Amino acid sequence: MQEALNDLESSEILSREQAALLRRIYGRELFSVHWELRLLLYGGILILTTGLGLLVAEHFASIGHLTLLAAIALGCVACFAYCLRHGGGFSPESLATPDAAYDYVLLLGCLLLGTLQGYLELRYQFLDQYWNWWLLASALIYLLCAHYFDNRLVLSLGLSTLGAWLGVKTSHLGTGLWDGALRDSALFFGALVIAAGTAQTRLGWKRHFLPVHLHLGVNVLLTALVAGVGSRAAGSAYLAGLLLTGSGSAFYALRERSFAFLLYAVLYGYVGITIFMLDLGHWSSEGIIFYFLVSAATLLTTLVALHRRFGSAE
């Protein structure tokens, strides 16, 4: 490497400063802390919003409702104002972030907005038993912000909040089929998220959002199907759906060289098959221990082998 840099410098392909910079990188004097900084920012935002929630819950009487509302609202407005000023506006394509803090300031603004809505409902109960509509409103605002500011963190937050609203809405059915209805809602939501991401990609609109849609949608679908495998009425149908969905996830993983989707297929498939097998008949304690020893060792060996085949593509 040093010889190559010397040759490039002597040939005047690289300037003296460029060659010196590359030597420092090669000698590990310079290294990137990009992801470490992003992780610290993300953790800081979560700690800040959690602390704010605890502050509101425990000291709202001593601080004063209006003071808290004003402080949260001002923080929220400041975050969105920062993003509006520094962002590049809406674009159907991926946009470069203006600085390292931009994505996390928007995330903080969205979380403060959720805190403000929760506080308003807790204090004044505007919607009373229909409080779940706050979740729908928050989800739609988050999705709007994610698309306008081109932010995948907020897109994940918006889709998750939308799923939470659907789950709460389903739980209010109050029937004896609550578990089945919740699974059906999860299956519908997972399929909807995947379909929305696929449609966006085909339309050439925010193509880079597709992985977020697929990761969330596949996990929701597989979780709902695994939960249904244990049901006596339709366990076989859920297992068939699980294997079919897992096959689709594995096919996508092989086509796109994405090990995560193969991992989802293998792990969810293992859990579903295990539940189905254990429900089939009476197992002795020794039989269960032997099953888990053999199957877990096989699973681990298979995952290590598959990961090696994917190599550094992930």
Side-chain angles (χ1 to χ4, degrees), residues 124-146:
Y124 300 105
Q125 298 182 345
F126 290 119
L127 299 181
D128 200 13
Q129 69 267 31
Y130 303 107
W131 62 268
N132 60 85
W133 290 104
W134 284 112
L135 285 176
L136 179 61
S138 298
L140 295 178
I141 293 172
Y142 296 160
L143 291 175
L144 180 65
C145 290

mmCIF file with all atom_site columns, all heavy atoms in Angstrom, residues 124-146:
data_model
loop_
_atom_site.group_PDB
_atom_site.id
_atom_site.type_symbol
_atom_site.label_atom_id
_atom_site.label_alt_id
_atom_site.label_comp_id
_atom_site.label_asym_id
_atom_site.label_entity_id
_atom_site.label_seq_id
_atom_site.pdbx_PDB_ins_code
_atom_site.Cartn_x
_atom_site.Cartn_y
_atom_site.Cartn_z
_atom_site.occupancy
_atom_site.B_iso_or_equiv
_atom_site.pdbx_formal_charge
_atom_site.auth_seq_id
_atom_site.auth_comp_id
_atom_site.auth_asym_id
_atom_site.auth_atom_id
_atom_site.pdbx_PDB_model_num
ATOM 1   N N   . TYR A 1 124 ? -56.803 16.718 29.781 1.00 0.00 ? 124 TYR A N   1
ATOM 2   C CA  . TYR A 1 124 ? -58.110 17.294 29.430 1.00 0.00 ? 124 TYR A CA  1
ATOM 3   C C   . TYR A 1 124 ? -59.101 16.273 28.866 1.00 0.00 ? 124 TYR A C   1
ATOM 4   O O   . TYR A 1 124 ? -60.274 16.571 28.737 1.00 0.00 ? 124 TYR A O   1
ATOM 5   C CB  . TYR A 1 124 ? -57.916 18.430 28.420 1.00 0.00 ? 124 TYR A CB  1
ATOM 6   C CG  . TYR A 1 124 ? -57.046 19.538 28.954 1.00 0.00 ? 124 TYR A CG  1
ATOM 7   C CD1 . TYR A 1 124 ? -55.730 19.686 28.515 1.00 0.00 ? 124 TYR A CD1 1
ATOM 8   C CD2 . TYR A 1 124 ? -57.528 20.425 29.917 1.00 0.00 ? 124 TYR A CD2 1
ATOM 9   C CE1 . TYR A 1 124 ? -54.917 20.700 29.008 1.00 0.00 ? 124 TYR A CE1 1
ATOM 10  C CE2 . TYR A 1 124 ? -56.714 21.448 30.417 1.00 0.00 ? 124 TYR A CE2 1
ATOM 11  C CZ  . TYR A 1 124 ? -55.411 21.577 29.952 1.00 0.00 ? 124 TYR A CZ  1
ATOM 12  O OH  . TYR A 1 124 ? -54.613 22.572 30.450 1.00 0.00 ? 124 TYR A OH  1
ATOM 13  N N   . GLN A 1 125 ? -58.606 15.079 28.471 1.00 0.00 ? 125 GLN A N   1
ATOM 14  C CA  . GLN A 1 125 ? -59.465 14.001 27.969 1.00 0.00 ? 125 GLN A CA  1
ATOM 15  C C   . GLN A 1 125 ? -60.414 14.499 26.880 1.00 0.00 ? 125 GLN A C   1
ATOM 16  O O   . GLN A 1 125 ? -61.634 14.355 26.975 1.00 0.00 ? 125 GLN A O   1
ATOM 17  C CB  . GLN A 1 125 ? -60.241 13.372 29.124 1.00 0.00 ? 125 GLN A CB  1
ATOM 18  C CG  . GLN A 1 125 ? -59.324 12.743 30.151 1.00 0.00 ? 125 GLN A CG  1
ATOM 19  C CD  . GLN A 1 125 ? -60.071 12.063 31.289 1.00 0.00 ? 125 GLN A CD  1
ATOM 20  O OE1 . GLN A 1 125 ? -61.262 12.274 31.478 1.00 0.00 ? 125 GLN A OE1 1
ATOM 21  N NE2 . GLN A 1 125 ? -59.372 11.243 32.031 1.00 0.00 ? 125 GLN A NE2 1
ATOM 22  N N   . PHE A 1 126 ? -59.834 15.069 25.848 1.00 0.00 ? 126 PHE A N   1
ATOM 23  C CA  . PHE A 1 126 ? -60.633 15.590 24.733 1.00 0.00 ? 126 PHE A CA  1
ATOM 24  C C   . PHE A 1 126 ? -61.420 14.488 24.039 1.00 0.00 ? 126 PHE A C   1
ATOM 25  O O   . PHE A 1 126 ? -62.562 14.667 23.646 1.00 0.00 ? 126 PHE A O   1
ATOM 26  C CB  . PHE A 1 126 ? -59.718 16.280 23.704 1.00 0.00 ? 126 PHE A CB  1
ATOM 27  C CG  . PHE A 1 126 ? -59.133 17.573 24.198 1.00 0.00 ? 126 PHE A CG  1
ATOM 28  C CD1 . PHE A 1 126 ? -57.760 17.732 24.311 1.00 0.00 ? 126 PHE A CD1 1
ATOM 29  C CD2 . PHE A 1 126 ? -59.959 18.631 24.558 1.00 0.00 ? 126 PHE A CD2 1
ATOM 30  C CE1 . PHE A 1 126 ? -57.215 18.925 24.759 1.00 0.00 ? 126 PHE A CE1 1
ATOM 31  C CE2 . PHE A 1 126 ? -59.432 19.830 25.004 1.00 0.00 ? 126 PHE A CE2 1
ATOM 32  C CZ  . PHE A 1 126 ? -58.053 19.971 25.111 1.00 0.00 ? 126 PHE A CZ  1
ATOM 33  N N   . LEU A 1 127 ? -60.784 13.319 23.866 1.00 0.00 ? 127 LEU A N   1
ATOM 34  C CA  . LEU A 1 127 ? -61.425 12.240 23.105 1.00 0.00 ? 127 LEU A CA  1
ATOM 35  C C   . LEU A 1 127 ? -61.944 11.113 23.997 1.00 0.00 ? 127 LEU A C   1
ATOM 36  O O   . LEU A 1 127 ? -62.580 10.191 23.504 1.00 0.00 ? 127 LEU A O   1
ATOM 37  C CB  . LEU A 1 127 ? -60.431 11.665 22.080 1.00 0.00 ? 127 LEU A CB  1
ATOM 38  C CG  . LEU A 1 127 ? -59.923 12.666 21.037 1.00 0.00 ? 127 LEU A CG  1
ATOM 39  C CD1 . LEU A 1 127 ? -58.969 11.983 20.065 1.00 0.00 ? 127 LEU A CD1 1
ATOM 40  C CD2 . LEU A 1 127 ? -61.080 13.287 20.269 1.00 0.00 ? 127 LEU A CD2 1
ATOM 41  N N   . ASP A 1 128 ? -61.624 11.161 25.297 1.00 0.00 ? 128 ASP A N   1
ATOM 42  C CA  . ASP A 1 128 ? -62.127 10.198 26.272 1.00 0.00 ? 128 ASP A CA  1
ATOM 43  C C   . ASP A 1 128 ? -61.879 8.758  25.822 1.00 0.00 ? 128 ASP A C   1
ATOM 44  O O   . ASP A 1 128 ? -60.734 8.375  25.585 1.00 0.00 ? 128 ASP A O   1
ATOM 45  C CB  . ASP A 1 128 ? -63.620 10.456 26.497 1.00 0.00 ? 128 ASP A CB  1
ATOM 46  C CG  . ASP A 1 128 ? -64.084 9.850  27.814 1.00 0.00 ? 128 ASP A CG  1
ATOM 47  O OD1 . ASP A 1 128 ? -63.236 9.473  28.627 1.00 0.00 ? 128 ASP A OD1 1
ATOM 48  O OD2 . ASP A 1 128 ? -65.302 9.742  28.013 1.00 0.00 ? 128 ASP A OD2 1
ATOM 49  N N   . GLN A 1 129 ? -62.953 7.949  25.657 1.00 0.00 ? 129 GLN A N   1
ATOM 50  C CA  . GLN A 1 129 ? -62.745 6.540  25.289 1.00 0.00 ? 129 GLN A CA  1
ATOM 51  C C   . GLN A 1 129 ? -62.249 6.365  23.852 1.00 0.00 ? 129 GLN A C   1
ATOM 52  O O   . GLN A 1 129 ? -61.891 5.263  23.451 1.00 0.00 ? 129 GLN A O   1
ATOM 53  C CB  . GLN A 1 129 ? -64.029 5.723  25.490 1.00 0.00 ? 129 GLN A CB  1
ATOM 54  C CG  . GLN A 1 129 ? -65.158 6.028  24.543 1.00 0.00 ? 129 GLN A CG  1
ATOM 55  C CD  . GLN A 1 129 ? -66.101 7.074  25.112 1.00 0.00 ? 129 GLN A CD  1
ATOM 56  O OE1 . GLN A 1 129 ? -65.684 7.945  25.860 1.00 0.00 ? 129 GLN A OE1 1
ATOM 57  N NE2 . GLN A 1 129 ? -67.375 6.967  24.754 1.00 0.00 ? 129 GLN A NE2 1
ATOM 58  N N   . TYR A 1 130 ? -62.280 7.433  23.078 1.00 0.00 ? 130 TYR A N   1
ATOM 59  C CA  . TYR A 1 130 ? -61.781 7.352  21.693 1.00 0.00 ? 130 TYR A CA  1
ATOM 60  C C   . TYR A 1 130 ? -60.347 7.872  21.588 1.00 0.00 ? 130 TYR A C   1
ATOM 61  O O   . TYR A 1 130 ? -59.924 8.355  20.545 1.00 0.00 ? 130 TYR A O   1
ATOM 62  C CB  . TYR A 1 130 ? -62.691 8.157  20.760 1.00 0.00 ? 130 TYR A CB  1
ATOM 63  C CG  . TYR A 1 130 ? -64.131 7.703  20.801 1.00 0.00 ? 130 TYR A CG  1
ATOM 64  C CD1 . TYR A 1 130 ? -65.107 8.481  21.431 1.00 0.00 ? 130 TYR A CD1 1
ATOM 65  C CD2 . TYR A 1 130 ? -64.520 6.505  20.227 1.00 0.00 ? 130 TYR A CD2 1
ATOM 66  C CE1 . TYR A 1 130 ? -66.428 8.060  21.484 1.00 0.00 ? 130 TYR A CE1 1
ATOM 67  C CE2 . TYR A 1 130 ? -65.838 6.081  20.281 1.00 0.00 ? 130 TYR A CE2 1
ATOM 68  C CZ  . TYR A 1 130 ? -66.782 6.868  20.906 1.00 0.00 ? 130 TYR A CZ  1
ATOM 69  O OH  . TYR A 1 130 ? -68.080 6.444  20.955 1.00 0.00 ? 130 TYR A OH  1
ATOM 70  N N   . TRP A 1 131 ? -59.602 7.735  22.694 1.00 0.00 ? 131 TRP A N   1
ATOM 71  C CA  . TRP A 1 131 ? -58.243 8.274  22.720 1.00 0.00 ? 131 TRP A CA  1
ATOM 72  C C   . TRP A 1 131 ? -57.345 7.642  21.664 1.00 0.00 ? 131 TRP A C   1
ATOM 73  O O   . TRP A 1 131 ? -56.329 8.218  21.271 1.00 0.00 ? 131 TRP A O   1
ATOM 74  C CB  . TRP A 1 131 ? -57.620 8.042  24.090 1.00 0.00 ? 131 TRP A CB  1
ATOM 75  C CG  . TRP A 1 131 ? -57.478 6.596  24.458 1.00 0.00 ? 131 TRP A CG  1
ATOM 76  C CD1 . TRP A 1 131 ? -58.366 5.841  25.133 1.00 0.00 ? 131 TRP A CD1 1
ATOM 77  C CD2 . TRP A 1 131 ? -56.382 5.737  24.131 1.00 0.00 ? 131 TRP A CD2 1
ATOM 78  N NE1 . TRP A 1 131 ? -57.917 4.553  25.265 1.00 0.00 ? 131 TRP A NE1 1
ATOM 79  C CE2 . TRP A 1 131 ? -56.685 4.465  24.652 1.00 0.00 ? 131 TRP A CE2 1
ATOM 80  C CE3 . TRP A 1 131 ? -55.166 5.904  23.464 1.00 0.00 ? 131 TRP A CE3 1
ATOM 81  C CZ2 . TRP A 1 131 ? -55.827 3.377  24.511 1.00 0.00 ? 131 TRP A CZ2 1
ATOM 82  C CZ3 . TRP A 1 131 ? -54.315 4.822  23.324 1.00 0.00 ? 131 TRP A CZ3 1
ATOM 83  C CH2 . TRP A 1 131 ? -54.652 3.589  23.849 1.00 0.00 ? 131 TRP A CH2 1
ATOM 84  N N   . ASN A 1 132 ? -57.696 6.422  21.189 1.00 0.00 ? 132 ASN A N   1
ATOM 85  C CA  . ASN A 1 132 ? -56.828 5.766  20.208 1.00 0.00 ? 132 ASN A CA  1
ATOM 86  C C   . ASN A 1 132 ? -56.726 6.547  18.901 1.00 0.00 ? 132 ASN A C   1
ATOM 87  O O   . ASN A 1 132 ? -55.812 6.324  18.101 1.00 0.00 ? 132 ASN A O   1
ATOM 88  C CB  . ASN A 1 132 ? -57.306 4.340  19.956 1.00 0.00 ? 132 ASN A CB  1
ATOM 89  C CG  . ASN A 1 132 ? -58.717 4.293  19.425 1.00 0.00 ? 132 ASN A CG  1
ATOM 90  O OD1 . ASN A 1 132 ? -58.932 4.419  18.228 1.00 0.00 ? 132 ASN A OD1 1
ATOM 91  N ND2 . ASN A 1 132 ? -59.700 4.132  20.307 1.00 0.00 ? 132 ASN A ND2 1
ATOM 92  N N   . TRP A 1 133 ? -57.679 7.495  18.687 1.00 0.00 ? 133 TRP A N   1
ATOM 93  C CA  . TRP A 1 133 ? -57.578 8.298  17.463 1.00 0.00 ? 133 TRP A CA  1
ATOM 94  C C   . TRP A 1 133 ? -56.353 9.214  17.498 1.00 0.00 ? 133 TRP A C   1
ATOM 95  O O   . TRP A 1 133 ? -55.882 9.661  16.454 1.00 0.00 ? 133 TRP A O   1
ATOM 96  C CB  . TRP A 1 133 ? -58.859 9.114  17.260 1.00 0.00 ? 133 TRP A CB  1
ATOM 97  C CG  . TRP A 1 133 ? -60.023 8.234  16.891 1.00 0.00 ? 133 TRP A CG  1
ATOM 98  C CD1 . TRP A 1 133 ? -61.055 7.843  17.680 1.00 0.00 ? 133 TRP A CD1 1
ATOM 99  C CD2 . TRP A 1 133 ? -60.251 7.595  15.613 1.00 0.00 ? 133 TRP A CD2 1
ATOM 100 N NE1 . TRP A 1 133 ? -61.930 7.016  16.997 1.00 0.00 ? 133 TRP A NE1 1
ATOM 101 C CE2 . TRP A 1 133 ? -61.449 6.846  15.726 1.00 0.00 ? 133 TRP A CE2 1
ATOM 102 C CE3 . TRP A 1 133 ? -59.556 7.595  14.402 1.00 0.00 ? 133 TRP A CE3 1
ATOM 103 C CZ2 . TRP A 1 133 ? -61.958 6.099  14.663 1.00 0.00 ? 133 TRP A CZ2 1
ATOM 104 C CZ3 . TRP A 1 133 ? -60.067 6.857  13.355 1.00 0.00 ? 133 TRP A CZ3 1
ATOM 105 C CH2 . TRP A 1 133 ? -61.258 6.120  13.487 1.00 0.00 ? 133 TRP A CH2 1
ATOM 106 N N   . TRP A 1 134 ? -55.868 9.500  18.717 1.00 0.00 ? 134 TRP A N   1
ATOM 107 C CA  . TRP A 1 134 ? -54.598 10.228 18.805 1.00 0.00 ? 134 TRP A CA  1
ATOM 108 C C   . TRP A 1 134 ? -53.487 9.428  18.118 1.00 0.00 ? 134 TRP A C   1
ATOM 109 O O   . TRP A 1 134 ? -52.598 9.988  17.476 1.00 0.00 ? 134 TRP A O   1
ATOM 110 C CB  . TRP A 1 134 ? -54.210 10.473 20.248 1.00 0.00 ? 134 TRP A CB  1
ATOM 111 C CG  . TRP A 1 134 ? -54.969 11.563 20.949 1.00 0.00 ? 134 TRP A CG  1
ATOM 112 C CD1 . TRP A 1 134 ? -55.862 11.422 21.974 1.00 0.00 ? 134 TRP A CD1 1
ATOM 113 C CD2 . TRP A 1 134 ? -54.883 12.977 20.700 1.00 0.00 ? 134 TRP A CD2 1
ATOM 114 N NE1 . TRP A 1 134 ? -56.340 12.642 22.370 1.00 0.00 ? 134 TRP A NE1 1
ATOM 115 C CE2 . TRP A 1 134 ? -55.750 13.629 21.610 1.00 0.00 ? 134 TRP A CE2 1
ATOM 116 C CE3 . TRP A 1 134 ? -54.153 13.760 19.807 1.00 0.00 ? 134 TRP A CE3 1
ATOM 117 C CZ2 . TRP A 1 134 ? -55.921 15.001 21.645 1.00 0.00 ? 134 TRP A CZ2 1
ATOM 118 C CZ3 . TRP A 1 134 ? -54.317 15.132 19.839 1.00 0.00 ? 134 TRP A CZ3 1
ATOM 119 C CH2 . TRP A 1 134 ? -55.189 15.740 20.740 1.00 0.00 ? 134 TRP A CH2 1
ATOM 120 N N   . LEU A 1 135 ? -53.517 8.098  18.299 1.00 0.00 ? 135 LEU A N   1
ATOM 121 C CA  . LEU A 1 135 ? -52.488 7.247  17.687 1.00 0.00 ? 135 LEU A CA  1
ATOM 122 C C   . LEU A 1 135 ? -52.554 7.345  16.167 1.00 0.00 ? 135 LEU A C   1
ATOM 123 O O   . LEU A 1 135 ? -51.526 7.445  15.486 1.00 0.00 ? 135 LEU A O   1
ATOM 124 C CB  . LEU A 1 135 ? -52.694 5.784  18.117 1.00 0.00 ? 135 LEU A CB  1
ATOM 125 C CG  . LEU A 1 135 ? -52.280 5.411  19.537 1.00 0.00 ? 135 LEU A CG  1
ATOM 126 C CD1 . LEU A 1 135 ? -52.635 3.959  19.822 1.00 0.00 ? 135 LEU A CD1 1
ATOM 127 C CD2 . LEU A 1 135 ? -50.777 5.624  19.720 1.00 0.00 ? 135 LEU A CD2 1
ATOM 128 N N   . LEU A 1 136 ? -53.797 7.300  15.638 1.00 0.00 ? 136 LEU A N   1
ATOM 129 C CA  . LEU A 1 136 ? -53.937 7.404  14.176 1.00 0.00 ? 136 LEU A CA  1
ATOM 130 C C   . LEU A 1 136 ? -53.441 8.762  13.680 1.00 0.00 ? 136 LEU A C   1
ATOM 131 O O   . LEU A 1 136 ? -52.724 8.837  12.668 1.00 0.00 ? 136 LEU A O   1
ATOM 132 C CB  . LEU A 1 136 ? -55.397 7.180  13.783 1.00 0.00 ? 136 LEU A CB  1
ATOM 133 C CG  . LEU A 1 136 ? -55.692 7.280  12.279 1.00 0.00 ? 136 LEU A CG  1
ATOM 134 C CD1 . LEU A 1 136 ? -54.900 6.228  11.504 1.00 0.00 ? 136 LEU A CD1 1
ATOM 135 C CD2 . LEU A 1 136 ? -57.183 7.116  12.010 1.00 0.00 ? 136 LEU A CD2 1
ATOM 136 N N   . ALA A 1 137 ? -53.818 9.821  14.414 1.00 0.00 ? 137 ALA A N   1
ATOM 137 C CA  . ALA A 1 137 ? -53.362 11.157 14.008 1.00 0.00 ? 137 ALA A CA  1
ATOM 138 C C   . ALA A 1 137 ? -51.840 11.247 14.053 1.00 0.00 ? 137 ALA A C   1
ATOM 139 O O   . ALA A 1 137 ? -51.203 11.780 13.127 1.00 0.00 ? 137 ALA A O   1
ATOM 140 C CB  . ALA A 1 137 ? -53.996 12.203 14.923 1.00 0.00 ? 137 ALA A CB  1
ATOM 141 N N   . SER A 1 138 ? -51.247 10.702 15.124 1.00 0.00 ? 138 SER A N   1
ATOM 142 C CA  . SER A 1 138 ? -49.778 10.727 15.238 1.00 0.00 ? 138 SER A CA  1
ATOM 143 C C   . SER A 1 138 ? -49.136 9.954  14.095 1.00 0.00 ? 138 SER A C   1
ATOM 144 O O   . SER A 1 138 ? -48.151 10.407 13.489 1.00 0.00 ? 138 SER A O   1
ATOM 145 C CB  . SER A 1 138 ? -49.348 10.112 16.573 1.00 0.00 ? 138 SER A CB  1
ATOM 146 O OG  . SER A 1 138 ? -49.839 10.850 17.644 1.00 0.00 ? 138 SER A OG  1
ATOM 147 N N   . ALA A 1 139 ? -49.683 8.762  13.787 1.00 0.00 ? 139 ALA A N   1
ATOM 148 C CA  . ALA A 1 139 ? -49.115 7.934  12.717 1.00 0.00 ? 139 ALA A CA  1
ATOM 149 C C   . ALA A 1 139 ? -49.140 8.671  11.385 1.00 0.00 ? 139 ALA A C   1
ATOM 150 O O   . ALA A 1 139 ? -48.144 8.669  10.637 1.00 0.00 ? 139 ALA A O   1
ATOM 151 C CB  . ALA A 1 139 ? -49.885 6.621  12.615 1.00 0.00 ? 139 ALA A CB  1
ATOM 152 N N   . LEU A 1 140 ? -50.260 9.331  11.090 1.00 0.00 ? 140 LEU A N   1
ATOM 153 C CA  . LEU A 1 140 ? -50.365 10.042 9.809  1.00 0.00 ? 140 LEU A CA  1
ATOM 154 C C   . LEU A 1 140 ? -49.398 11.223 9.751  1.00 0.00 ? 140 LEU A C   1
ATOM 155 O O   . LEU A 1 140 ? -48.782 11.482 8.711  1.00 0.00 ? 140 LEU A O   1
ATOM 156 C CB  . LEU A 1 140 ? -51.813 10.517 9.603  1.00 0.00 ? 140 LEU A CB  1
ATOM 157 C CG  . LEU A 1 140 ? -52.850 9.394  9.460  1.00 0.00 ? 140 LEU A CG  1
ATOM 158 C CD1 . LEU A 1 140 ? -54.249 9.961  9.312  1.00 0.00 ? 140 LEU A CD1 1
ATOM 159 C CD2 . LEU A 1 140 ? -52.515 8.488  8.271  1.00 0.00 ? 140 LEU A CD2 1
ATOM 160 N N   . ILE A 1 141 ? -49.256 11.925 10.869 1.00 0.00 ? 141 ILE A N   1
ATOM 161 C CA  . ILE A 1 141 ? -48.305 13.058 10.906 1.00 0.00 ? 141 ILE A CA  1
ATOM 162 C C   . ILE A 1 141 ? -46.872 12.545 10.741 1.00 0.00 ? 141 ILE A C   1
ATOM 163 O O   . ILE A 1 141 ? -46.064 13.115 9.996  1.00 0.00 ? 141 ILE A O   1
ATOM 164 C CB  . ILE A 1 141 ? -48.466 13.841 12.220 1.00 0.00 ? 141 ILE A CB  1
ATOM 165 C CG1 . ILE A 1 141 ? -49.820 14.539 12.255 1.00 0.00 ? 141 ILE A CG1 1
ATOM 166 C CG2 . ILE A 1 141 ? -47.346 14.869 12.375 1.00 0.00 ? 141 ILE A CG2 1
ATOM 167 C CD1 . ILE A 1 141 ? -50.158 15.174 13.597 1.00 0.00 ? 141 ILE A CD1 1
ATOM 168 N N   . TYR A 1 142 ? -46.547 11.451 11.433 1.00 0.00 ? 142 TYR A N   1
ATOM 169 C CA  . TYR A 1 142 ? -45.192 10.889 11.313 1.00 0.00 ? 142 TYR A CA  1
ATOM 170 C C   . TYR A 1 142 ? -44.909 10.453 9.872  1.00 0.00 ? 142 TYR A C   1
ATOM 171 O O   . TYR A 1 142 ? -43.808 10.677 9.352  1.00 0.00 ? 142 TYR A O   1
ATOM 172 C CB  . TYR A 1 142 ? -45.037 9.673  12.236 1.00 0.00 ? 142 TYR A CB  1
ATOM 173 C CG  . TYR A 1 142 ? -45.153 9.976  13.708 1.00 0.00 ? 142 TYR A CG  1
ATOM 174 C CD1 . TYR A 1 142 ? -45.455 8.971  14.622 1.00 0.00 ? 142 TYR A CD1 1
ATOM 175 C CD2 . TYR A 1 142 ? -44.965 11.267 14.195 1.00 0.00 ? 142 TYR A CD2 1
ATOM 176 C CE1 . TYR A 1 142 ? -45.575 9.241  15.979 1.00 0.00 ? 142 TYR A CE1 1
ATOM 177 C CE2 . TYR A 1 142 ? -45.077 11.544 15.549 1.00 0.00 ? 142 TYR A CE2 1
ATOM 178 C CZ  . TYR A 1 142 ? -45.389 10.525 16.445 1.00 0.00 ? 142 TYR A CZ  1
ATOM 179 O OH  . TYR A 1 142 ? -45.507 10.800 17.780 1.00 0.00 ? 142 TYR A OH  1
ATOM 180 N N   . LEU A 1 143 ? -45.889 9.812  9.247  1.00 0.00 ? 143 LEU A N   1
ATOM 181 C CA  . LEU A 1 143 ? -45.687 9.358  7.864  1.00 0.00 ? 143 LEU A CA  1
ATOM 182 C C   . LEU A 1 143 ? -45.516 10.551 6.925  1.00 0.00 ? 143 LEU A C   1
ATOM 183 O O   . LEU A 1 143 ? -44.690 10.518 6.003  1.00 0.00 ? 143 LEU A O   1
ATOM 184 C CB  . LEU A 1 143 ? -46.871 8.492  7.417  1.00 0.00 ? 143 LEU A CB  1
ATOM 185 C CG  . LEU A 1 143 ? -46.975 7.123  8.118  1.00 0.00 ? 143 LEU A CG  1
ATOM 186 C CD1 . LEU A 1 143 ? -48.241 6.393  7.688  1.00 0.00 ? 143 LEU A CD1 1
ATOM 187 C CD2 . LEU A 1 143 ? -45.762 6.264  7.792  1.00 0.00 ? 143 LEU A CD2 1
ATOM 188 N N   . LEU A 1 144 ? -46.295 11.598 7.163  1.00 0.00 ? 144 LEU A N   1
ATOM 189 C CA  . LEU A 1 144 ? -46.164 12.805 6.347  1.00 0.00 ? 144 LEU A CA  1
ATOM 190 C C   . LEU A 1 144 ? -44.769 13.411 6.519  1.00 0.00 ? 144 LEU A C   1
ATOM 191 O O   . LEU A 1 144 ? -44.110 13.788 5.537  1.00 0.00 ? 144 LEU A O   1
ATOM 192 C CB  . LEU A 1 144 ? -47.248 13.807 6.758  1.00 0.00 ? 144 LEU A CB  1
ATOM 193 C CG  . LEU A 1 144 ? -47.250 15.136 6.007  1.00 0.00 ? 144 LEU A CG  1
ATOM 194 C CD1 . LEU A 1 144 ? -47.588 14.912 4.532  1.00 0.00 ? 144 LEU A CD1 1
ATOM 195 C CD2 . LEU A 1 144 ? -48.270 16.106 6.622  1.00 0.00 ? 144 LEU A CD2 1
ATOM 196 N N   . CYS A 1 145 ? -44.319 13.500 7.769  1.00 0.00 ? 145 CYS A N   1
ATOM 197 C CA  . CYS A 1 145 ? -42.977 14.050 8.044  1.00 0.00 ? 145 CYS A CA  1
ATOM 198 C C   . CYS A 1 145 ? -41.888 13.165 7.424  1.00 0.00 ? 145 CYS A C   1
ATOM 199 O O   . CYS A 1 145 ? -40.906 13.675 6.867  1.00 0.00 ? 145 CYS A O   1
ATOM 200 C CB  . CYS A 1 145 ? -42.749 14.156 9.547  1.00 0.00 ? 145 CYS A CB  1
ATOM 201 S SG  . CYS A 1 145 ? -43.722 15.430 10.361 1.00 0.00 ? 145 CYS A SG  1
ATOM 202 N N   . ALA A 1 146 ? -42.063 11.847 7.525  1.00 0.00 ? 146 ALA A N   1
ATOM 203 C CA  . ALA A 1 146 ? -41.053 10.932 6.972  1.00 0.00 ? 146 ALA A CA  1
ATOM 204 C C   . ALA A 1 146 ? -40.891 11.141 5.473  1.00 0.00 ? 146 ALA A C   1
ATOM 205 O O   . ALA A 1 146 ? -39.769 11.139 4.952  1.00 0.00 ? 146 ALA A O   1
ATOM 206 C CB  . ALA A 1 146 ? -41.455 9.490  7.272  1.00 0.00 ? 146 ALA A CB  1
#
